[in-house]
Amino acid sequence: MAAPPLLPELYEHRWLGLAVSFIALYVGYKIQAFRRLSAFGGPFGVGFTSIPHSWSFLTGRSHLFYKEAIDAYGPIARIGPNDLVTSSPELLAHMSAVRSSYSRGKWYNRATRYEPGKDHVFSELDEEKHKRRRQQMAHGYSGKENLSLESSIDTHVSELINLVHTKYLSTDQYARPFDFARKIQYFTLDVISQVGFGEAFGDLLADEDVNEYVKAGQIGLTVTTVGLALGITWFLQLPLVARALGPSEKDVVGFGRMIANARALIRKRLERETDNRSDMLASFVRNGLNADELLSETVLQIIAGSDTTAAALRAIMLYLLSHPRIYTKLQAEIDAKALEGRYQGVIPDSELRKLPYLQAVIKEGMRMHPPITDSVPKRVPDGGDTVSVDGKSVFLPGGALVSYAAWPLHHSKAIFGDDAGVFRPERWLVEKDEKKMSEMNRTHELNFGYGKYQCLGKPIALMEIGKAVFELLRNFDWCLGKPEEPWREHNYMGIFVHSNMWVMATERTLNN
Ligand code: HEM
Ligand SMILES: *[C@@H]1O[C@H](CO)[C@@H](O)[C@H](O)[C@H]1NC(C)=O
Ligand SMILES: *[C@@H]1O[C@H](CO)[C@@H](O)[C@H](O)[C@H]1NC(C)=O
Ligand SMILES: *[C@@H]1O[C@H](CO)[C@@H](O)[C@H](O)[C@H]1NC(C)=O
């Protein structure tokens, strides 16, 4: 091809020219992106690149990355070119308020889809659809359309106690340490499968990871975290890629098997008369969810409801086992309640509420070691928003993503006092200042999110936690099996997973 007569020099270097223009455009874009949020301080480089943020996800330390950013740069810090993080309870509540015009971050919520192209309540980005879906499920989650909820939880609390009794009691003659992290996961999985599918996985009865769902959950969390960190969620969720690499319903074990089983259970339930049944699935059906939606939502429950509740229970127990003064005091409250003998079997939820020290221990355990530590970012509405934080007015540019930082929030000295860094359940009981107390309460509640995005499983989780702690302490004496390394912990995209939490249980002689 002949060069045009004009500007032959330029033509010769046309690729170079093109490249230079692209670089100039890219740099211009980067500078503009940098400047949009330049009012907010953050760790080195975060204005230009997501690498530090991604790295914190890949290394399982995002909660600490967020904490360092906030400690150094204030209650709203920058963590990426378009990303902020906050520990302000006011701002967190403002963003999720029922009438707020904020939405959710595609980056994070979309990554939790587990079938290409199909959304559940947490991955749904369309605000109207999300609202409608929540309304359809609210009754089922609250247990108001019955109620088999509480008895389902009781069944598995009894199985957990029974498992320790029959297989893992330590005696004067022989010590039998066991991994509490794992047994608690069996417990939360059995509860949530019973509640969601109407049929428990059966892990506690078998004392094993039936169908390898625990293992599958672990793989799922790892893949999702890597997808988030590398920004390749869109690729992983291409139908062809998902089919080739992801779980298949033909699998004998794992996530594919879980979906296949769930699908079969739902089909069976839909064919039968469900009007009469009084569980969550029946409530969802009555409120108009179709077979596909039922599948998405019930499988989401397994993901949303098992690791979270398990992490909370492990943290509460670890703090109890390492604080004898508090342990003894709680056990005394529990024994007194048990000796009253006003109920049979597992402690009813209504009685749990009458135990102030137990409630304070649960709040304090979740404060010291929040089970969900970060992200769940919210998107500032187009056009931006002016908010008030610590009495100062701050402008947040439209489209920016604002993440949640549990660590600095729940350990805030401004909210909890100078000893915020230590475990002292009494702080929830002795505070006289109403205003201070309600701020503490509000901060605790943020463990479950707020308003239009608040955790739907909160009542279920709290019921599970209260009953389990009560019965574990009532039936056994506990100690750590390996105090020099009480557990192993990894943070996957803001969710804690623990292993190797060795404990020993001995029989108690309380006659009741
Ligand atoms: C201690 C245990 C738990 C904690 C700390 C927890 C925390 C959270 C948080 C922080 C969110 C996100 C809020 C936001 O987007 O701003 C959430 C959402 C959700 N959780 Fe939980 N959760 C727990 C247990 C459960 C359980 C047991 C279930 C199911 C039975 C459950 C079901 C859900 C669902 C369905 C959503 C999505 C709500 C929506 O998108 O509107 N969670 N949870
Ligand atoms: C709910 O279930 C429990 C036991 O599963 C049962 O005793 C109770 O009558 C049910 N209540 C309603 C309102 O269906
Ligand atoms: C309700 O359940 C009972 C048995 O438990 C059954 O005989 C009856 O046909 C059911 N009725 C409706 C309307 O589903
Ligand atoms: C704080 O929460 C507890 C329940 O967890 C409640 O009994 C108490 O009244 C609340 N206090 C304030 C001041 O909000």
Side-chain angles (χ1 to χ4, degrees):
M1 200 208 276
L6 282 175
L7 306 172
E9 287 285 299
L10 210 59
Y11 185 76
E12 197 129 290
H13 298 294
R14 63 197 187 278
W15 297 120
L16 187 63
L18 217 56
V20 169
S21 334
F22 268 123
I23 291 172
L25 271 175
Y26 180 74
V27 170
Y29 162 78
K30 277 288 185 188
I31 290 177
Q32 201 207 353
F34 171 77
R35 287 176 53 178
R36 243 164 52 83
L37 295 182
S38 61
F40 303 94
F44 180 74
V46 296
F48 291 104
T49 168
S50 294
I51 291 173
H53 192 192
S54 296
W55 185 246
S56 76
F57 267 72
L58 287 176
T59 51
R61 57 183 305 284
S62 47
H63 57 300
L64 301 176
F65 176 65
Y66 290 180
K67 175 181 159 45
E68 285 152 18
I70 280 173
D71 284 351
Y73 302 97
I76 307 178
R78 188 176 199 180
I79 47 166
N82 188 40
D83 306 87
L84 302 171
V85 65
T86 187
S87 64
S88 158
E90 297 169 271
L91 178 55
L92 288 163
H94 170 74
M95 295 191 298
S96 297
V98 173
R99 268 175 257 289
S100 137
S101 47
Y102 285 64
S103 53
R104 297 192 286 194
K106 182 173 175 184
W107 165 71
Y108 190 88
N109 289 66
R110 264 292 160 77
T112 63
R113 268 183 179 176
Y114 49 87
E115 277 189 293
K118 290 196 184 143
D119 282 308
H120 45 68
V121 70
F122 188 75
S123 68
E124 179 62 69
L125 297 177
D126 180 310
E127 286 287 305
E128 277 308 310
K129 286 188 189 157
H130 171 250
K131 187 171 155 195
R132 184 171 141 68
R133 179 61 55 82
R134 270 183 78 96
Q135 281 164 355
Q136 288 175 305
M137 302 201 304
H139 280 297
Y141 266 103
S142 74
K144 284 198 184 97
E145 292 191 11
N146 196 8
L147 297 108
S148 47
L149 205 63
E150 181 160 4
S151 63
S152 303
I153 296 177
D154 289 355
T155 304
H156 301 292
V157 172
S158 301
E159 286 172 5
L160 174 65
I161 299 300
N162 201 35
L163 177 64
V164 179
H165 254 303
T166 50
K167 279 181 79 175
Y168 297 107
L169 271 188
S170 287
T171 62
D172 289 353
Q173 284 71 36
Y174 198 78
R176 287 183 187 79
F178 66 96
D179 182 2
F180 185 79
R182 181 142 270 247
K183 307 306 172 200
I184 278 299
Q185 179 127 37
Y186 293 169
F187 167 67
T188 58
L189 272 174
D190 274 353
V191 168
I192 212 66
S193 50
Q194 175 99 56
V195 167
F197 300 150
E199 208 170 291
F201 290 160
D203 288 4
L204 284 171
L205 287 177
D207 192 20
E208 66 174 35
D209 178 13
V210 176
N211 294 328
E212 298 185 7
Y213 297 147
V214 174
K215 195 166 148 198
Q218 196 74 34
I219 296 170
L221 278 176
T222 308
V223 172
T224 311
T225 305
V226 170
L228 269 177
L230 303 184
I232 54 168
T233 299
W234 64 272
F235 173 76
L236 295 175
Q237 293 185 354
L238 291 176
L240 271 176
V241 177
R243 215 168 299 145
L245 303 178
S248 151
E249 290 187 41
K250 296 198 188 79
D251 295 347
V252 184
V253 294
F255 203 74
R257 167 82 184 260
M258 187 203 299
I259 298 185
N261 281 355
R263 203 186 285 281
L265 276 170
I266 288 167
R267 192 177 309 124
K268 212 163 70 188
R269 285 291 294 276
L270 285 175
E271 281 165 8
R272 269 195 272 130
E273 191 69 69
T274 59
D275 271 359
N276 261 350
R277 281 260 220 156
S278 55
D279 62 7
M280 205 153 165
L281 208 54
S283 167
F284 290 173
V285 174
R286 270 196 297 278
N287 286 286
L289 263 61
N290 67 31
D292 265 355
E293 294 163 347
L294 286 171
L295 182 70
S296 301
E297 300 299 349
T298 47
V299 175
L300 169 68
Q301 284 174 357
I302 306 286
I303 301 167
S306 59
D307 285 319
T308 47
T309 313
L313 268 166
R314 294 169 191 142
I316 292 164
M317 284 298 278
L318 179 58
Y319 275 91
L320 278 173
L321 268 51
S322 51
H323 292 74
R325 174 188 74 80
I326 295 161
Y327 184 111
T328 315
K329 193 166 162 184
L330 176 61
Q331 203 163 47
E333 186 185 69
I334 288 173
D335 286 355
K337 175 55 73 186
L339 286 169
E340 272 178 16
R342 295 244 189 86
Y343 62 91
Q344 301 219 303
V346 174
I347 176 100
D349 191 45
S350 53
E351 293 290 327
L352 279 175
R353 290 162 204 268
K354 299 178 201 157
L355 297 171
Y357 201 62
L358 175 66
Q359 296 303 335
V361 163
I362 292 170
K363 279 178 165 177
E364 186 70 349
M366 289 184 69
R367 187 186 73 76
M368 287 306 294
H369 209 89
I372 293 201
T373 62
D374 54 73
S375 288
V376 281
K378 308 295 180 269
R379 183 185 177 280
V380 182
D382 295 334
D385 185 28
T386 302
V387 295
S388 153
V389 170
D390 292 346
K392 271 185 237 140
S393 166
V394 181
F395 179 73
L396 301 172
L401 295 180
V402 186
S403 283
Y404 158 69
W407 234 244
L409 172 67
H410 297 285
H411 298 170
S412 159
K413 290 185 177 170
I415 300 172
F416 294 102
D418 283 343
D419 69 349
V422 292
F423 187 60
R424 179 173 61 89
E426 287 79 6
R427 75 177 75 247
W428 299 96
L429 302 171
V430 299
E431 181 59 62
K432 289 281 181 307
D433 183 342
E434 279 275 311
K435 224 175 120 223
K436 193 131 193 72
M437 189 65 211
S438 82
E439 194 185 16
M440 286 167 60
N441 274 351
R442 195 170 63 151
T443 304
H444 163 71
E445 277 157 23
L446 287 172
N447 260 310
F448 293 96
Y450 185 81
K452 63 178 176 176
Y453 303 123
Q454 193 188 52
C455 175
L456 283 164
K458 182 179 169 191
I460 300 176
L462 290 176
M463 206 191 283
E464 276 182 74
I465 293 170
K467 283 173 184 267
V469 173
F470 184 99
E471 296 297 339
L472 289 170
L473 262 70
R474 178 193 164 186
N475 283 280
F476 308 105
D477 283 318
W478 295 90
C479 70
L480 292 173
K482 213 178 160 192
E484 68 277 23
E485 195 193 3
W487 66 16
R488 295 226 184 104
E489 172 172 86
H490 190 89
N491 181 345
Y492 293 92
M493 55 186 277
I495 300 176
F496 274 130
V497 174
H498 304 101
S499 60
N500 290 287
M501 182 175 169
W502 298 96
V503 298
M504 288 186 278
T506 42
E507 184 110 70
R508 297 192 69 216
T509 47
L510 183 72
N511 293 320
N512 183 269

